[in-house]
Amino acid sequence: DCRKACGGHGFLVSSGLVELSNTYLQSCTVEGDNYMLPQQVVKVLLKLVGAMQSGDAALLKDHKGTDMEYLIAPLMTLMKQNGGVPNKSTFVLPTTNGNAQDFMDVSTILKAFQHRSACLLLDVAMQLASNMAKSSAQQAWNDCLLGMARASRAHASYILLRDFYNGLKEEENKSSASCLGPNEIQVLSQCLTLLGLYWMDQYLEDFLQNQSILTGSIPHLRQAILDVMTKLRPDAVGLCDARDYSDFRLKSALGKFDGDVYPAIMESARRDPLNQKSADGGVGMGYDESLKKLIVGGIGEYKNGLSGTVSRL
């Protein structure tokens, strides 16, 4: 998204985004492809569902104090509803105000993410049980891969939002001992709200499927995103500079501290071996005679002897 926001400049090596992408893109596949990791996550989560369905209190106790504990309460209510059919969440995001303000409470957003995760997980468990009744275990498992990907993503999203929220609360409770002041906590809280709302809008079909968000609330959700972005906009540059990356470390013509983007891009182009003199093994024959006068200095003309047309850069 960052590269796209930079337009064509985002493709330049001098932007620094190319190296960042090549460096970090492997992180989501280094331990397996994007279907391997969700399977591993869901395999563990299904053990919790099995423990609850069997009523094994000792086995259920093992899941308390883990990152799965938040699923116990919503799963229990879902299993009691309609014979365990996860077609409707037992939580619906309140519409008290009937406007964007309904989506500004982070604790309410977290609760919606909890129930989304529980509904998708139970949906996978029931689909897997149904498939195994009519096909082999391996085929039944493969038929559930798409649902597993959704359930795994929902679980990971909630964990990230919860830890972000808890981290800010801990810093806020430290008061004067915190490394963050009230202004920093306020801005980061806005970032947390925006992240939660962005994910909610991006995966809106999950929330609509389990009816934890009503269709009529969608305009309010999207207005809430715009409202939070408006609040964050004055601090956008400060947030980007907060880590104080040096130009040497960032290696980006677009992210230079002085903001002189275009001179930095041109200087990077001049240093490219292909833009050196032909005698030094750079560009090929004809550059000095034809193309250089169009580029160097920023403007030039080239007249076609046959048609008399003029090309200008």
Side-chain angles (χ1 to χ4, degrees):
D1 290 341
C2 180
R3 196 267 304 157
K4 291 177 183 177
C6 292
H9 296 331
F11 285 102
L12 298 175
V13 173
S14 60
S15 72
L17 296 173
V18 175
E19 183 178 345
L20 283 172
S21 177
N22 291 337
T23 300
Y24 295 104
L25 195 59
Q26 53 83 29
S27 298
C28 63
T29 56
V30 70
E31 293 295 341
D33 62 30
N34 284 337
Y35 279 111
M36 182 64 69
L37 298 176
Q39 288 181 72
Q40 293 175 342
V41 172
V42 172
K43 188 178 292 186
V44 176
L45 296 178
L46 288 175
K47 292 180 180 179
L48 171 61
V49 177
M52 296 186 66
Q53 289 175 335
S54 66
D56 190 334
L59 191 58
L60 190 59
K61 187 177 179 180
D62 293 338
H63 293 86
K64 292 187 177 180
T66 69
D67 284 334
M68 295 180 286
E69 185 176 5
Y70 79 92
L71 286 166
I72 295 177
L75 280 174
M76 193 170 294
T77 54
L78 281 171
M79 289 178 179
K80 293 177 180 178
Q81 169 188 277
N82 296 331
V85 179
N87 58 353
K88 185 178 179 181
S89 171
T90 54
F91 168 81
V92 179
L93 195 137
T95 55
T96 308
N97 300 295
N99 53 36
Q101 197 60 37
D102 292 328
F103 291 87
M104 293 300 185
D105 182 32
V106 178
S107 60
T108 303
I109 293 173
L110 285 173
K111 198 164 186 181
F113 273 83
Q114 282 183 7
H115 284 259
R116 169 207 182 196
S117 181
C119 287
L120 292 177
L121 176 59
L122 188 55
D123 194 15
V124 170
M126 298 186 66
Q127 182 186 4
L128 184 61
S130 175
N131 290 346
M132 290 184 69
K134 54 188 177 183
S135 61
S136 65
Q138 182 178 358
Q139 185 61 46
W141 185 269
N142 288 339
D143 289 342
C144 295
L145 288 180
L146 291 177
M148 290 179 184
R150 286 192 291 269
S152 174
R153 182 173 57 226
H155 175 66
S157 299
Y158 171 76
I159 295 298
L160 288 170
L161 289 173
R162 182 202 63 187
D163 289 351
F164 194 168
Y165 176 78
N166 290 341
L168 287 178
K169 282 297 181 183
E170 288 177 9
E171 292 299 325
E172 191 174 10
N173 293 335
K174 289 179 182 178
S175 187
S176 59
S178 172
C179 61
L180 300 175
N183 293 334
E184 287 81 6
I185 290 177
Q186 180 182 3
V187 171
L188 289 175
S189 296
Q190 292 169 352
C191 289
L192 170 60
T193 304
L194 180 59
L195 179 60
L197 295 178
Y198 169 73
W199 278 344
M200 192 175 282
D201 185 50
Q202 189 177 19
Y203 303 110
L204 188 58
E205 67 276 7
D206 291 345
F207 295 94
L208 291 177
Q209 177 185 336
N210 61 49
Q211 301 180 46
S212 57
I213 293 180
L214 302 178
T215 307
S217 299
I218 296 176
H220 303 153
L221 164 63
R222 290 172 178 165
Q223 184 59 48
I225 294 175
L226 294 176
D227 291 346
V228 178
M229 291 174 67
T230 301
K231 293 177 182 178
L232 270 176
R233 188 168 288 114
D235 298 301
V237 174
L239 287 167
C240 291
D241 289 340
R243 292 186 177 274
D244 197 23
Y245 289 124
S246 66
D247 288 345
F248 175 78
R249 186 178 178 188
L250 199 59
K251 293 183 287 187
S252 172
L254 305 184
K256 282 174 61 66
F257 184 78
D258 58 17
D260 290 335
V261 173
Y262 291 101
I265 291 176
M266 290 302 297
E267 180 59 31
S268 174
R270 290 190 182 98
R271 292 197 302 267
D272 193 292
L274 289 176
N275 292 331
Q276 305 303 316
K277 292 182 179 180
S278 301
D280 298 333
V283 293
M285 295 176 60
Y287 170 76
D288 290 326
E289 297 82 3
S290 303
L291 295 177
K292 183 176 180 179
K293 60 184 179 182
L294 298 177
I295 299 173
V296 176
I299 190 169
E301 290 183 354
Y302 180 79
K303 293 184 178 180
N304 187 318
L306 297 177
S307 64
T309 58
V310 177
S311 299
R312 184 181 296 274
L313 181 64

